[in-house]
Amino acid sequence: MNQVDLAFTPALDQAQLIRKGEISPLELVQLYLERIEGLNPQLGSYFTVASDMALVDAKAKTEQLAETTDTSKLPPFFGVPIAIKDLRAVEGLPCTFGVAAFKDNIAEYDDGVITRIKQAGFIILGKTATSELGSLPYTEPPGFPAARNPWNLDYTPGGSSGGSAAAVAAGLSPIAQGSDGGGSLRGPAFCCGLVAIKPTRGRISCAPVGDFQSGIASIGPMARTVADAAALLDVMSGYITGDPYWLPDPEISFLEATHQQLDNLRISFATSIKPMGAASAVCEKIVVETMQRLEGMGHLVEPGCPDFSDIVEPFKTVWQAGVTSAGIPLEALSPMNRWIAEQSGSAGEYLQAVTKLQIIARQIVGFFNNYDVLVLPTYLHPPIRVGEWDDLSYEETLENIINWIGPCPPFNATGLPAIAIPAGFDEKGLPLGIQLVGPPASEATLLALAAQLEAANPWSDYRPTIATEV
């Protein structure tokens, strides 16, 4: 296997290659560090490359492997590299939250999800780029290089998990962690041709810190294949003492769910959502083509979608409060985030908005009494150029954001699970995708359906040209 093919090998397959002795953790880490050195200056996908830490860990695991007689007892991802979004704390590495003034902020502990990732045997390559405070759907924080889309460097990889998406799409990591507070995993997956899961609220712990913004944000996996994303979801899931939300463990693993045969499902879909309106023609086309595939598989398909009109204003109130609640002096933030913070209302207005979201969420969740899955465009039009909205007013930028990411925030507000998967390309060669949304705790069904679509329309062999030239 050549080095490019190895870099794009799924994480689950890399784990097997390590167990069989066909590749060592050290060789794999060295491969990715070389690729990061070659491509990251163009992509801006990593804020911090943890070369020394990754090599020490890789050498130790390579030595451990040489002394292991029964590799079946090793953790599931022993020796496999991973990238971590720079909103999570990794002991000994900077945690900037995309704020330039925090470049020297070294974490003194691991977040709970990072502990689980390490226990699964992963080797952390570094911290990936995020928009400032994770507040925007493009990754261009002041004081850092803009993250760029490997498929076309003039375009954004999305945000706020844009660095994770760019890294995985370019073969600078086989898999990555991200988070989603309004499409921040699903949008970058859409922009970069990847799989991303926003799990049900409470599926993944936010320990040791508290809940943020009344549960609209979730940690989740990003990968090139459904199976890899499912397996990383297995690793990251589970209650940690004191969590504000929790779910029972699934009956079977999420990885196992990707191999399950599904009964015929009741699936609704839409290419236009209220109040934003219709998706662009190319985004509409990929939804229609997907529905034709699903109908051909025997699923019952019909148009239908909740009205999201009442969500927009209370969601904006909660989102704006997130910038204020970060506790960072406004002068340390970008002009856009300062403006967002200035729009934030009182504590009473925040709580009123949360109550409104909860009432509206009941109506949206009730929609799934009649359907197993809802299929929507992930975003309403293709990726934007880096800096495309720089000359707009803050109000115009916010309006553009709402009309781009509109299909995503309703499922942060409701806490419902959603999986973004690739579904084609636009005329410029930029990836496009759809999202599958289900009722509470239905990740297994969504993963099984995503795996069906992956088998019918394989996407993981597509690679950006830039990523094959290193």
Side-chain angles (χ1 to χ4, degrees):
M1 184 184 301
N2 65 45
Q3 296 294 283
V4 172
D5 287 343
L6 180 58
F8 279 89
T9 297
L12 285 164
D13 292 345
Q14 289 182 354
Q16 290 305 311
L17 291 174
I18 289 170
R19 280 174 165 72
K20 294 175 182 177
E22 296 180 23
I23 187 77
S24 73
L26 181 57
E27 290 169 324
L28 204 50
V29 165
Q30 288 172 330
L31 167 65
Y32 282 112
L33 291 178
E34 289 171 5
R35 291 182 62 83
I36 292 168
E37 183 179 7
L39 283 177
N40 197 58
Q42 298 173 72
L43 293 173
S45 54
Y46 284 86
F47 283 164
T48 300
V49 181
S51 302
D52 293 343
M53 182 182 292
L55 287 169
V56 168
D57 194 5
K59 289 174 183 175
K61 283 185 166 64
T62 298
E63 293 171 1
Q64 181 183 345
L65 187 66
E67 299 170 357
T68 300
T69 56
D70 185 359
T71 58
S72 67
K73 295 181 179 179
L74 293 173
F77 284 101
F78 182 84
V80 176
I82 192 171
I84 305 297
K85 182 179 178 180
D86 202 14
L87 293 182
R88 307 312 315 177
V90 177
E91 184 178 5
L93 294 182
C95 191
T96 71
F97 308 101
V99 178
F102 280 24
K103 286 184 178 180
D104 296 326
N105 177 42
I106 306 301
E108 297 179 352
Y109 64 90
D110 285 333
D111 279 341
V113 71
I114 302 303
T115 298
R116 288 194 162 141
I117 284 170
K118 288 181 176 180
Q119 289 171 343
F122 281 109
I123 297 173
I124 294 173
L125 291 171
K127 304 293 290 296
T128 55
T130 175
S131 59
E132 189 181 71
L133 300 179
S135 65
L136 298 171
Y138 42 87
T139 306
E140 304 165 31
F144 298 89
R148 296 178 178 273
N149 195 318
W151 293 92
N152 187 323
L153 296 179
D154 291 334
Y155 288 82
T156 183
S160 59
S161 304
S164 288
V168 175
L172 305 190
S173 180
I175 200 164
Q177 173 271 334
S179 57
D180 190 316
S184 286
L185 269 164
R186 289 164 288 159
F190 166 87
C191 292
C192 293
L194 301 171
V195 179
I197 303 172
K198 186 206 81 65
T200 301
R201 182 176 297 151
R203 179 69 70 195
I204 299 177
S205 173
C206 56
V209 298
D211 175 34
F212 185 61
Q213 292 178 295
S214 299
I216 68 170
S218 299
I219 300 167
M222 182 175 286
R224 283 189 295 274
T225 69
V226 174
D228 272 5
L232 182 52
L233 182 60
D234 282 322
V235 166
M236 295 195 294
S237 294
Y239 173 80
I240 295 177
T241 302
D243 285 344
Y245 317 103
W246 57 92
L247 294 171
D249 292 335
E251 294 181 2
I252 60 172
S253 74
F254 294 121
L255 178 58
E256 187 178 348
T258 65
H259 303 295
Q260 280 206 316
Q261 295 298 311
L262 285 171
D263 295 330
N264 293 338
L265 300 175
R266 299 167 297 170
I267 302 177
S268 65
F269 72 97
T271 58
S272 179
I273 64 168
K274 294 180 180 180
M276 294 84 189
S280 67
V282 68
C283 289
E284 178 182 6
K285 179 174 179 285
I286 62 171
V287 172
V288 171
E289 290 174 347
T290 300
M291 302 320 296
Q292 291 170 343
R293 288 192 185 96
L294 291 171
E295 197 166 30
M297 295 171 185
H299 299 297
L300 176 64
V301 169
E302 61 184 50
C305 182
D307 184 341
F308 302 130
S309 299
D310 292 337
I311 272 185
V312 176
E313 288 306 316
F315 191 90
K316 280 167 57 178
T317 298
V318 174
W319 167 69
Q320 289 163 346
V323 176
T324 308
S325 70
I328 296 172
L330 294 188
E331 58 269 21
L333 299 179
S334 66
M336 181 68 186
N337 268 332
R338 288 200 297 271
W339 177 80
I340 291 170
E342 289 165 359
Q343 310 312 303
S344 183
S346 66
E349 289 169 330
Y350 174 86
L351 291 174
Q352 288 174 351
V354 170
T355 298
K356 288 178 183 177
L357 285 181
Q358 291 172 349
I359 292 170
I360 301 162
R362 293 182 187 278
Q363 300 167 9
I364 295 172
V365 174
F367 175 85
F368 290 92
N369 292 336
N370 298 314
Y371 296 102
D372 300 302
V373 177
L374 170 63
V375 178
L376 295 175
T378 306
Y379 277 1
L380 290 175
H381 62 77
I384 62 171
R385 290 181 177 271
V386 173
E388 182 167 329
W389 297 337
D390 282 355
D391 295 331
L392 301 181
S393 69
Y394 305 132
E395 293 86 352
E396 289 172 325
T397 299
L398 179 56
E399 188 66 20
N400 282 354
I401 288 171
I402 292 170
N403 290 324
W404 187 32
I405 73 169
C408 285
F411 309 112
N412 297 92
T414 57
L416 294 175
I419 298 179
I421 60 172
F425 295 85
D426 72 1
E427 66 280 358
K428 300 185 185 75
L430 290 164
L432 302 169
I434 61 165
Q435 59 176 329
L436 313 175
V437 186
S442 64
E443 289 96 331
T445 297
L446 297 180
L447 284 163
L449 186 62
Q452 276 192 343
L453 288 168
E454 182 180 40
N457 181 35
W459 56 69
S460 62
D461 288 339
Y462 291 104
R463 301 170 184 174
T465 300
I466 192 175
T468 65
E469 297 174 344
V470 179

